[in-house]
Amino acid sequence: MKHLLGSAFLLAAITAPAYAQTSSGTLDAAGATQQLKTLLALPFANDLVGASKVQRFAWIEKRNGVRNILVSDAGAAPKQITHYTQDDGTDIWGLALSPDGSTVAYVEGGDPEYPDDPSPNPDLKPVETRQLVHVISASGKDTIVGEGCNPTFSSDGKMIAYSRKGTLYLGAVGKEIKPVLTQRGSIISLQWSPDKTRLLFTLDRDTHSIIGFWSVKESKVSFLDPALAQDMQPEFSPDGHAVAFVRTHTPVTYHKNKDARFWSLQIYNLDTGKNRTVWTPSAGRGAKFWSTEGSGLLWADNTHVLFPWEGSGWLRVCSVAIDGGQNVPTCLTPDQAEVSSYRLSADRKALFYTSNAGNVDKWHAWQVGLDGAHATRLSNSADMETDLAVAGNDVAVIAANANQPAHVVVLAKGQSPKIPVDPQLPSSVHLVTPQDVQFKSADGIKVHGQLFRPAGTQSDKHPALVFVHGGPHRQMLAAFNSMGYYSNAYAMNQTLAEQGYVVLSVNYRSGTGYGEAFRNAPEIGRAGASEYRDVLAGATYLKTLSDVDPHRIGIWGGSWGGYLTALALARNSDVFRSGADFHGVHDMTRTDKMGLSPSENKAAHDLEWQSSPVANIAHWHAPVLLVHGDDDYNVEFSQSTLLARMLSEQGVNYEEHSFPNERHAFLRMQDWLTAYQWTNAFLARTLKDSQP
């Protein structure tokens, strides 16, 4: 059974106005704006969590730019437990449920990527914004307990802890929460021991990170075998007597030493105070640690640990015994496929995971027994299922498809899937179905992408665009994306197609989903920008299509995609007629790196410069749109001001816009809409309506 949260969205879908079209049947400027506004306003679900002891899920929904928390029991119609009403850019994140699901904690404001930095204020409020930890009780009362992040409940739900920079706060739910520990650095993770007597944390000190625990009874801090590495992803064993964690070292040079190994799996015995290395990968594939965001170590029982590993060249979940034997890992998920999210069942006998097994461009949810049983799909849906959570005995996934943005689907054993909020397009919106396509780069690399073709006859010659995602560790799919940034980009690509553009979204090398060799391909980024070959190959592919005008090909993208957009216009203004560059990197040079000789540093800087768009500024003559938020912590705002100055010196036509106080991924829906309106108008003038 499908449910909508009240009737407001359904009414909006019914009453949405018909969009204005040109004589050719494509959207005009007003129609494009209205479609974008409708698509960006659709409910979008993220940050899905589940209660460990009951079938209760919670997630954050963004609807019409406003973020709120929804709670659903076993997939039933959800209850909205927060009451925010403004598209003011206030983020909601760090969602946590008590084990019985009766209490909810979350963070209001701030930036989950940069929680120790000043809270953003994109709505230009006259007062300073703050990053606040909230607790919502079973009665629905919402209480601010302090400034910070990482709210975490104890195993009985009676205690809560959170952190702010290097300070740990602790107290009983409903009582005053007090600071109990302050250390230099930033506490970036928290976990309670099963018996509630200890709090495990990771302390980031930039050059290294160490793992410690706070003894609640003794009011004492201890560190677990502190070393010279980045220790991360600590996890208590089920009996609370041991902690598993990953110890990593970051390579200094670009060179690949065939004997190098950069990480190991550690087990710390809390009873004896002794630490030991239980497994180290072989040199070669998988010798550098890699995991997806939000996934880490899991204990199958007190003697086996599950961990992510790329030993076969693909990210898989593997298991290893910690008993001191040969410790040969057993991989539970299939080869030639990657995982993006994984959780254990409540009884720790099965692993739930999302994977692109069978088709690297399709993601689905799977289940496999830890005894080696055959893996089975959790649903028969064709939707992209990229994230999951477990609540009691139920599993829920974040799903999306070509017509529906990310939404929650609850998969209870023996029951039909339940969709608590079912986003539906208004009848006035007609989206194209993107095609999965493949083509080859000039050096033979196979490249995957999605092709958005305008509806109607393919005999007409259309302007075309290459879209390049950011990251660069991302993968675009033939559906709305589960990341808000790229869900918006998908809406934009759909709207561009409705305006008459053929759009090719390129999954260039250094992206995820296609194995370690593709993600870590030679000479990528600052080491030579080899991924640009795939972008250029995308333009070459577009020229082979009968419905594309080869003289009207443009490019657009943000972040790393902004970098590649600028690189394309700088190197190949003869191919790309114009472009839109959102918050891109334009000068890739860095300061000297410790551990490299002066000559090695010079060689690295020369390569960084050659990989930079500004290195080819003399060849740049195509017009470009520049958009950047001036409170960007991911890409320095000066990267765009530098490019504007250099384009001015070259006499290149460009249009420039900034959002005061906005972050890298714009926090306000209105700012996304405005940026896309600028893009539509700019591309219409410089590409769609231009003459060869």
Side-chain angles (χ1 to χ4, degrees), residues 4 7-17 38 42 424-429:
L4 283 172
S7 60
F9 173 72
L10 182 60
L11 180 62
I14 293 172
T15 59
T38 300
L42 289 171
Q424 296 290 333
L425 293 174
S427 58
S428 56
V429 176

Side-chain angles (χ1 to χ4, degrees), residues 224-420:
L224 281 58
D225 190 36
L228 307 177
Q230 298 286 342
D231 290 348
M232 61 178 66
Q233 300 191 353
E235 186 76 16
F236 274 114
S237 61
D239 61 12
H241 291 290
V243 173
F245 64 95
V246 173
R247 174 161 289 168
T248 70
H249 294 87
T250 304
V252 174
T253 69
Y254 294 115
H255 311 299
K256 293 185 177 180
N257 186 327
K258 62 182 179 63
D259 298 320
R261 297 182 293 176
F262 297 100
W263 71 281
S264 59
L265 184 62
Q266 307 285 316
I267 301 293
Y268 187 91
N269 188 309
L270 292 166
D271 297 329
T272 65
K274 301 294 185 182
N275 188 67
R276 60 190 177 94
T277 301
V278 297
W279 184 75
T280 303
S282 302
R285 289 178 174 175
K288 289 194 294 185
F289 185 73
W290 172 259
S291 67
T292 57
E293 185 177 352
S295 298
L297 306 184
L298 299 172
W299 288 80
D301 51 38
N302 291 310
T303 60
H304 291 81
V305 174
L306 276 58
F307 61 95
W309 184 38
E310 293 182 299
S312 70
W314 296 81
L315 186 64
R316 306 166 71 189
V317 179
C318 304
S319 173
V320 68
I322 65 167
D323 57 7
Q326 293 186 353
N327 299 338
V328 178
T330 299
C331 289
L332 302 170
T333 59
D335 203 355
Q336 303 299 307
E338 308 224 299
V339 295
S340 65
S341 178
Y342 52 91
R343 302 286 186 273
L344 282 173
S345 60
D347 60 7
R348 298 180 185 267
K349 293 183 178 180
L351 179 72
F352 303 117
Y353 63 96
T354 55
S355 172
N356 58 353
N359 185 335
V360 290
D361 291 312
K362 307 292 182 186
W363 287 82
H364 299 296
W366 297 77
Q367 172 181 340
V368 64
L370 299 190
D371 57 2
H374 183 69
T376 57
R377 284 274 307 273
L378 288 177
S379 78
N380 295 318
S381 173
D383 289 358
M384 302 293 182
E385 299 162 339
T386 53
D387 194 11
L388 58 78
V390 175
N393 294 320
D394 286 356
V395 180
V397 298
I398 295 287
N401 56 48
N403 293 297
Q404 291 182 298
H407 56 281
V408 174
V409 180
V410 178
L411 306 172
K413 188 174 182 179
Q415 300 181 31
S416 299
K418 298 177 181 178
I419 305 177

Side-chain angles (χ1 to χ4, degrees), residues 630-647:
D630 75 356
D631 194 28
D632 190 335
Y633 279 69
N634 298 80
V635 174
E636 293 177 343
F637 187 69
S638 60
Q639 289 283 345
S640 289
T641 60
L642 169 67
L643 182 58
R645 290 158 52 204
M646 297 185 74
L647 291 172

